[in-house]
């Protein structure tokens, strides 16, 4: 795999990560709901799922994706259920708004783990990600020639793109969150967050 191939891979990953979709929307909504730590945790979950499909394509185990399809239904249901739970919690914030000076909910390891796990379900059941890694990449790269060093370089590129887009999406959402809380509009942000998360859960179930 040449440097030009890695550059093409970087460009493809950039387009994949940049394209608006339910994953980006959920990452922003999670940031608005619980802060940047949860937004980053959700994004890391998406990245983990993407790395799973990349690894499957490189190792030639694309046939395993057929066996995985049955399990993916369970992943869809579980991920959607947790997203609906997140949406309900956000909606509770709309129904019973907290005072402007109320403390921000503490970040816990269990909460971050739940957010990360739900993030993983997004690419594992996303047809766009599956087609990209199992069909698009093999059509442009000879993945049978990828060595460990090439694989690590591809992972590094994905991590760099994740940092770039997490900084953009999560950073802007966090600033908006602070502004909404300062201006007393937090309950409307909670309502918007609940609607987005519910919509993402439905997309995850129906696609």
């Amino acid at each position: 795999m040449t440097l030009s191939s890695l550059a093409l891979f970087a460009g493809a990953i950039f387009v994949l990560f940049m394209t608006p979709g339910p994953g980006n929307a959920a990452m922003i909504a999670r940031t608005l709901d619980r802060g940047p730590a949860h937004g980053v945790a959700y994004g890391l979950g998406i990245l983990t799922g993407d790395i799973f499909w990349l690894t499957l394509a490189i190792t030639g185990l694309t046939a395993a994706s057929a066996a995985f399809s049955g399990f993916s239904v369970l992943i869809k249901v579980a991920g959607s259920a947790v997203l609906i739970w997140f949406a309900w919690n956000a909606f509770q914030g709309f129904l019973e708004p907290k005072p402007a000076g109320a403390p921000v909910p503490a970040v816990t390891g269990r909460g971050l783990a739940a957010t990360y796990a739900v993030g993983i379900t997004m690419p594992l059941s996303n047809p766009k990600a599956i087609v990209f890694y199992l069909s698009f990449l093999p059509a442009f790269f000879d993945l049978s020639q990828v060595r460990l060093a090439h694989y690590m370089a591809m992972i590094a590129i994905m991590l760099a793109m994740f940092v770039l887009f997490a900084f953009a999406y999560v950073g802007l959402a966090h600033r908006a969150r602070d502004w909404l809380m300062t201006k007393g509009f937090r309950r409307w942000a909670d309502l918007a967050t609940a609607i987005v998360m519910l919509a993402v859960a439905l997309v995850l179930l129906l696609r």
Side-chain angles (χ1 to χ4, degrees):
M1 198 171 193
T2 64
L3 288 177
S4 60
S5 296
L6 287 175
L8 287 173
F9 175 76
I13 292 296
F14 180 87
V15 172
L16 177 69
F17 284 13
M18 180 184 67
T19 304
N24 295 336
M27 184 165 61
I28 292 171
R30 198 66 183 135
T31 303
L32 290 173
D33 186 39
R34 284 295 183 267
H38 280 272
V40 171
Y42 193 94
L44 284 172
I46 294 176
L47 179 65
T48 301
D50 283 338
I51 291 175
F52 169 82
W53 288 123
L54 174 68
T55 304
L56 211 64
I58 288 176
T59 54
L61 296 176
T62 54
S65 62
F68 182 79
S69 61
F71 184 62
S72 69
V73 174
L74 296 178
I75 292 176
K76 282 185 180 185
V77 173
S80 298
V82 179
L83 280 171
I84 292 171
W85 172 251
F86 288 164
W88 172 248
N89 287 334
F91 188 63
Q92 289 291 96
F94 169 73
L95 294 178
E96 301 176 4
K98 296 179 180 178
V104 177
V107 176
T108 64
R110 179 179 296 181
L112 290 176
T115 297
Y116 171 75
V118 177
I120 293 176
T121 66
M122 186 60 63
L124 290 190
S125 57
N126 185 356
K128 182 180 75 171
I130 297 170
V131 169
F132 177 84
Y133 290 106
L134 299 186
S135 300
F136 178 80
L137 281 184
F140 284 85
F141 307 107
D142 186 358
L143 296 181
S144 66
Q145 300 302 313
V146 173
R147 301 294 178 260
L148 179 60
H150 303 143
Y151 175 72
M152 297 307 296
M154 296 168 86
I155 298 298
I157 288 171
M158 294 175 72
L159 285 170
M161 294 296 175
F162 167 75
V163 170
L164 173 65
F165 285 101
F167 179 80
Y169 288 119
V170 175
L172 290 174
H174 181 52
R175 292 187 65 180
R177 181 175 184 267
D178 287 344
W179 183 84
L180 289 167
M181 292 181 71
T182 301
K183 299 298 182 181
F185 298 144
R186 177 58 199 274
R187 70 182 302 235
W188 300 107
D190 286 336
L191 178 60
T193 297
I195 292 172
V196 169
M197 287 188 177
L198 181 59
V200 172
L202 292 176
V203 168
L204 195 62
L205 278 174
L206 299 176
R207 69 184 175 188

